[in-house]
Amino acid sequence: MKIITCFKLVPEEQDIMVMPDHTLSFDNAEAKISQFDLNAIEASTQLASEGDEVTALTVGGSLLQNSKVRKDVLSRGPNSLFMVQDAQLEHALPKETAQALAAAAEKIGFDVMLFGEGSGDLYAQQVGLLVGELLQLPVINAVSSIRRDGATLTVERTLEEDVEVIELTPPAVLCVTSDINVPRIPSMKAILGAGKKPVNQWQPSDIGWNPTSPQAELMEIIVPPATTRKHIILDNDSPEAIAALAEHVKKALN
């Protein structure tokens, strides 16, 4: 079985700075694997049997130049890494990201594609679903468990009040939740071995994808202004205090 696990590189949250004009500065933010995609990578290695091939796939802009992150991905189990880099993918929205991933996946070839439930920055929860639609394949989201019996996959899909159990035969696209596993920390042996695994860097022309003008564009991200704390303390549960609390809540909501 050939498994593709997709991931996105995002800025390290603790390194993002809020500027006086409420914009965000990413100048000192290191790249890292989106936390939700770590679950997809772990799920791909657990799904693979002896002789199977696990390929990591990502698309993006300048963050892909980070060699440290490349080694981090490969130390977590995938046999190889494929990257599609282009300036138009620097701040791409889900549709353009999905188009590039679908084109790359078709060229690589696969039986199962795994995605995290969303990215650590936008968290749109759309990319995996769009890739499945573009490739005209069965796609299941909210996946909390995957079991394999020969060529058949049994997938549990956790909803608010129910758990669906679905059997399917690949090819298919699965979007896993963060509850599916606890990503392992790579061992020293795995980290050293990651440097020997192949890394393939593609341009859009290499996968037959021609970027077009996006229908939507991310213009800017602005942090809401901070609100000064009122420092109002109600230290009893008298009817008067409860009424005062209710009034403060009403004002805050309005």
Side-chain angles (χ1 to χ4, degrees), residues 1 3 44-54 79 148:
M1 180 179 286
I3 303 169
S44 69
T45 60
Q46 292 181 6
L47 180 62
S49 298
E50 186 176 354
D52 290 344
E53 182 180 350
V54 178
N79 306 107
R148 178 178 174 182

PDB file of all heavy atoms in Angstrom, residues 1 3 44-54 79 148:
ATOM      1  N   MET A   1       0.844  -1.204   0.000  1.00  0.00           N
ATOM      2  CA  MET A   1       0.000   0.000   0.000  1.00  0.00           C
ATOM      3  C   MET A   1       0.873   1.246   0.000  1.00  0.00           C
ATOM      4  O   MET A   1       1.875   1.308   0.718  1.00  0.00           O
ATOM      5  CB  MET A   1      -0.924   0.001   1.228  1.00  0.00           C
ATOM      6  CG  MET A   1      -1.834   1.209   1.320  1.00  0.00           C
ATOM      7  SD  MET A   1      -2.939   1.171   2.756  1.00  0.00           S
ATOM      8  CE  MET A   1      -4.122  -0.056   2.257  1.00  0.00           C
ATOM      9  N   ILE A   3       0.980   5.124   0.882  1.00  0.00           N
ATOM     10  CA  ILE A   3       0.280   6.088   1.736  1.00  0.00           C
ATOM     11  C   ILE A   3       0.948   7.450   1.603  1.00  0.00           C
ATOM     12  O   ILE A   3       2.171   7.563   1.696  1.00  0.00           O
ATOM     13  CB  ILE A   3       0.307   5.636   3.206  1.00  0.00           C
ATOM     14  CG1 ILE A   3      -0.300   4.237   3.351  1.00  0.00           C
ATOM     15  CG2 ILE A   3      -0.426   6.639   4.087  1.00  0.00           C
ATOM     16  CD1 ILE A   3      -0.062   3.620   4.717  1.00  0.00           C
ATOM     17  N   SER A  44      -0.326   7.632   9.690  1.00  0.00           N
ATOM     18  CA  SER A  44       0.178   6.993   8.468  1.00  0.00           C
ATOM     19  C   SER A  44       1.189   5.896   8.793  1.00  0.00           C
ATOM     20  O   SER A  44       1.198   4.833   8.171  1.00  0.00           O
ATOM     21  CB  SER A  44       0.807   8.037   7.541  1.00  0.00           C
ATOM     22  OG  SER A  44       2.015   8.547   8.078  1.00  0.00           O
ATOM     23  N   THR A  45       2.058   6.136   9.778  1.00  0.00           N
ATOM     24  CA  THR A  45       3.054   5.129  10.142  1.00  0.00           C
ATOM     25  C   THR A  45       2.414   3.943  10.859  1.00  0.00           C
ATOM     26  O   THR A  45       2.869   2.807  10.723  1.00  0.00           O
ATOM     27  CB  THR A  45       4.155   5.748  11.034  1.00  0.00           C
ATOM     28  OG1 THR A  45       3.561   6.281  12.233  1.00  0.00           O
ATOM     29  CG2 THR A  45       4.863   6.886  10.296  1.00  0.00           C
ATOM     30  N   GLN A  46       1.347   4.200  11.616  1.00  0.00           N
ATOM     31  CA  GLN A  46       0.640   3.111  12.284  1.00  0.00           C
ATOM     32  C   GLN A  46      -0.154   2.269  11.279  1.00  0.00           C
ATOM     33  O   GLN A  46      -0.324   1.063  11.459  1.00  0.00           O
ATOM     34  CB  GLN A  46      -0.287   3.665  13.365  1.00  0.00           C
ATOM     35  CG  GLN A  46       0.439   4.286  14.541  1.00  0.00           C
ATOM     36  CD  GLN A  46      -0.503   4.797  15.607  1.00  0.00           C
ATOM     37  OE1 GLN A  46      -1.715   4.602  15.529  1.00  0.00           O
ATOM     38  NE2 GLN A  46       0.035   5.466  16.626  1.00  0.00           N
ATOM     39  N   LEU A  47      -0.642   2.908  10.229  1.00  0.00           N
ATOM     40  CA  LEU A  47      -1.422   2.209   9.208  1.00  0.00           C
ATOM     41  C   LEU A  47      -0.546   1.340   8.318  1.00  0.00           C
ATOM     42  O   LEU A  47      -0.976   0.287   7.831  1.00  0.00           O
ATOM     43  CB  LEU A  47      -2.182   3.223   8.359  1.00  0.00           C
ATOM     44  CG  LEU A  47      -3.058   2.693   7.222  1.00  0.00           C
ATOM     45  CD1 LEU A  47      -4.163   1.796   7.773  1.00  0.00           C
ATOM     46  CD2 LEU A  47      -3.652   3.847   6.420  1.00  0.00           C
ATOM     47  N   ALA A  48       0.690   1.754   8.111  1.00  0.00           N
ATOM     48  CA  ALA A  48       1.580   1.049   7.191  1.00  0.00           C
ATOM     49  C   ALA A  48       2.012  -0.301   7.755  1.00  0.00           C
ATOM     50  O   ALA A  48       2.282  -0.445   8.950  1.00  0.00           O
ATOM     51  CB  ALA A  48       2.806   1.907   6.902  1.00  0.00           C
ATOM     52  N   SER A  49       2.056  -1.286   6.874  1.00  0.00           N
ATOM     53  CA  SER A  49       2.585  -2.607   7.207  1.00  0.00           C
ATOM     54  C   SER A  49       3.962  -2.759   6.582  1.00  0.00           C
ATOM     55  O   SER A  49       4.419  -1.887   5.823  1.00  0.00           O
ATOM     56  CB  SER A  49       1.648  -3.704   6.689  1.00  0.00           C
ATOM     57  OG  SER A  49       0.375  -3.615   7.289  1.00  0.00           O
ATOM     58  N   GLU A  50       4.638  -3.838   6.870  1.00  0.00           N
ATOM     59  CA  GLU A  50       5.961  -4.088   6.308  1.00  0.00           C
ATOM     60  C   GLU A  50       5.880  -4.122   4.781  1.00  0.00           C
ATOM     61  O   GLU A  50       5.027  -4.793   4.212  1.00  0.00           O
ATOM     62  CB  GLU A  50       6.523  -5.405   6.834  1.00  0.00           C
ATOM     63  CG  GLU A  50       7.962  -5.669   6.412  1.00  0.00           C
ATOM     64  CD  GLU A  50       8.519  -6.939   7.018  1.00  0.00           C
ATOM     65  OE1 GLU A  50       7.820  -7.546   7.866  1.00  0.00           O
ATOM     66  OE2 GLU A  50       9.634  -7.322   6.651  1.00  0.00           O
ATOM     67  N   GLY A  51       6.756  -3.380   4.159  1.00  0.00           N
ATOM     68  CA  GLY A  51       6.771  -3.322   2.705  1.00  0.00           C
ATOM     69  C   GLY A  51       5.965  -2.174   2.127  1.00  0.00           C
ATOM     70  O   GLY A  51       6.075  -1.875   0.932  1.00  0.00           O
ATOM     71  N   ASP A  52       5.151  -1.518   2.956  1.00  0.00           N
ATOM     72  CA  ASP A  52       4.395  -0.364   2.479  1.00  0.00           C
ATOM     73  C   ASP A  52       5.292   0.860   2.387  1.00  0.00           C
ATOM     74  O   ASP A  52       6.346   0.932   3.028  1.00  0.00           O
ATOM     75  CB  ASP A  52       3.228  -0.055   3.421  1.00  0.00           C
ATOM     76  CG  ASP A  52       2.139  -1.102   3.344  1.00  0.00           C
ATOM     77  OD1 ASP A  52       2.147  -1.871   2.373  1.00  0.00           O
ATOM     78  OD2 ASP A  52       1.292  -1.156   4.254  1.00  0.00           O
ATOM     79  N   GLU A  53       4.863   1.839   1.621  1.00  0.00           N
ATOM     80  CA  GLU A  53       5.629   3.066   1.431  1.00  0.00           C
ATOM     81  C   GLU A  53       4.819   4.248   1.931  1.00  0.00           C
ATOM     82  O   GLU A  53       3.673   4.447   1.519  1.00  0.00           O
ATOM     83  CB  GLU A  53       5.967   3.258  -0.050  1.00  0.00           C
ATOM     84  CG  GLU A  53       6.795   4.485  -0.340  1.00  0.00           C
ATOM     85  CD  GLU A  53       7.117   4.646  -1.817  1.00  0.00           C
ATOM     86  OE1 GLU A  53       6.848   3.700  -2.589  1.00  0.00           O
ATOM     87  OE2 GLU A  53       7.622   5.721  -2.197  1.00  0.00           O
ATOM     88  N   VAL A  54       5.413   5.008   2.834  1.00  0.00           N
ATOM     89  CA  VAL A  54       4.769   6.215   3.361  1.00  0.00           C
ATOM     90  C   VAL A  54       5.515   7.434   2.828  1.00  0.00           C
ATOM     91  O   VAL A  54       6.722   7.565   3.041  1.00  0.00           O
ATOM     92  CB  VAL A  54       4.764   6.233   4.906  1.00  0.00           C
ATOM     93  CG1 VAL A  54       4.124   7.517   5.419  1.00  0.00           C
ATOM     94  CG2 VAL A  54       4.027   5.021   5.451  1.00  0.00           C
ATOM     95  N   ASN A  79       8.991   7.463   4.473  1.00  0.00           N
ATOM     96  CA  ASN A  79      10.172   6.986   3.751  1.00  0.00           C
ATOM     97  C   ASN A  79      10.778   8.049   2.857  1.00  0.00           C
ATOM     98  O   ASN A  79      11.964   7.985   2.511  1.00  0.00           O
ATOM     99  CB  ASN A  79       9.806   5.769   2.899  1.00  0.00           C
ATOM    100  CG  ASN A  79       9.151   4.669   3.721  1.00  0.00           C
ATOM    101  OD1 ASN A  79       7.956   4.447   3.629  1.00  0.00           O
ATOM    102  ND2 ASN A  79       9.932   3.989   4.553  1.00  0.00           N
ATOM    103  N   ARG A 148      -7.047  -1.758   9.677  1.00  0.00           N
ATOM    104  CA  ARG A 148      -6.782  -2.318   8.356  1.00  0.00           C
ATOM    105  C   ARG A 148      -6.896  -3.834   8.399  1.00  0.00           C
ATOM    106  O   ARG A 148      -6.329  -4.486   9.262  1.00  0.00           O
ATOM    107  CB  ARG A 148      -5.377  -1.890   7.911  1.00  0.00           C
ATOM    108  CG  ARG A 148      -4.937  -2.445   6.573  1.00  0.00           C
ATOM    109  CD  ARG A 148      -3.552  -1.907   6.255  1.00  0.00           C
ATOM    110  NE  ARG A 148      -2.988  -2.506   5.046  1.00  0.00           N
ATOM    111  CZ  ARG A 148      -1.778  -2.229   4.579  1.00  0.00           C
ATOM    112  NH1 ARG A 148      -1.011  -1.354   5.214  1.00  0.00           N
ATOM    113  NH2 ARG A 148      -1.341  -2.822   3.488  1.00  0.00           N
TER     114      ARG A 148
END
